[in-house]
Amino acid sequence: MPQSGLTLSDLARTYDLIVTGHHSTDEDDEYLAAHPDLLALQSGRPVLVIPDGYEAPASTHHALVAWDGKRAAARALGDAIHILGNLHQVSVITIGNAGLIDPNPGGGVMALLKRHGIKSEYLHRAASGQSIASTLEEVAEEIEASLIVMGAFEHSKFSQDIFGGVTSEILKTSRIPVFMAH
């Protein structure tokens, strides 16, 4: 039986994965709401966020991994590696100059996936006038991805709350599940 005073984040630390829906914006539900962004940030565990009304396909076959080469992206990839190994296809995407794939043989994210026996393809999109989150969602739709894997809050939560950011935008707008870790 849980001790009183424990938060959901405290309890989540003893589980492999947190599965939750989007944060409710309904003020009447605020006291019941799980905040997936805070769970990822405070629990130290990966979070799988399922959009409202999402109907899962018969099989999940394609994941899009958002890669910028930073710590949070590496953490999310490491936490998701066992899931990715069960999929038919994995696509790794970089956007703009962030996280461009290391051209050295034997190194980089593509080599990591190959070492785990995961067939993957590399995609790159140039920086454009749209947000990174919009680009991720656009590519996910193009390749018919059924999962997005990404790091969460490479910038501070305070900064994301004030100025917005990829994590916050994806959580608000994604139509497919998002696996994220901090």
Side-chain angles (χ1 to χ4, degrees):
M1 180 169 193
Q3 297 173 342
S4 64
L6 290 177
T7 67
L8 189 53
S9 294
D10 294 332
L11 294 171
R13 291 184 187 126
T14 61
Y15 291 88
D16 295 328
L17 176 67
I18 303 162
V19 180
T20 185
H22 286 277
H23 169 66
S24 174
T25 55
D26 185 349
E27 289 181 17
D28 294 335
D29 291 339
E30 181 64 29
Y31 71 99
L32 293 173
H35 298 262
D37 51 349
L38 291 175
L39 286 170
L41 192 61
Q42 295 173 353
S43 72
R45 305 308 302 149
V47 177
L48 179 62
V49 184
I50 310 295
D52 291 339
Y54 178 74
E55 292 189 30
S59 66
T60 300
H61 67 279
H62 196 162
L64 179 64
V65 176
W67 184 256
D68 62 5
K70 295 181 180 172
R71 188 202 64 78
R75 174 67 188 268
L77 179 58
D79 286 346
I81 206 87
H82 63 284
I83 294 170
L84 299 177
N86 293 317
L87 302 179
H88 297 291
Q89 181 64 38
V90 174
S91 298
V92 177
I93 185 168
T94 57
I95 300 170
N97 292 326
L100 287 174
I101 298 300
D102 182 54
N104 298 322
V109 66
M110 301 305 284
L112 170 68
L113 292 169
K114 186 175 182 178
R115 284 192 304 270
H116 283 274
I118 299 170
K119 291 194 299 187
S120 59
E121 69 175 337
Y122 171 65
L123 306 172
H124 179 75
R125 295 295 188 266
S128 66
Q130 66 183 9
S131 70
I132 291 173
S134 294
T135 301
L136 286 174
E137 289 186 62
E138 183 179 283
V139 171
E141 189 172 320
E142 283 173 21
I143 65 173
E144 298 179 357
S146 48
L147 177 68
I148 296 173
V149 175
M150 63 180 278
F153 298 115
E154 193 61 48
H155 303 290
S156 75
K157 170 93 170 85
F158 176 76
S159 173
Q160 292 249 343
D161 288 346
I162 299 297
F163 302 110
V166 178
T167 307
S168 299
E169 188 176 341
I170 284 284
L171 288 176
K172 288 178 188 170
T173 60
S174 181
R175 293 184 302 270
I176 63 173
V178 177
F179 182 103
M180 63 180 180
H182 174 71

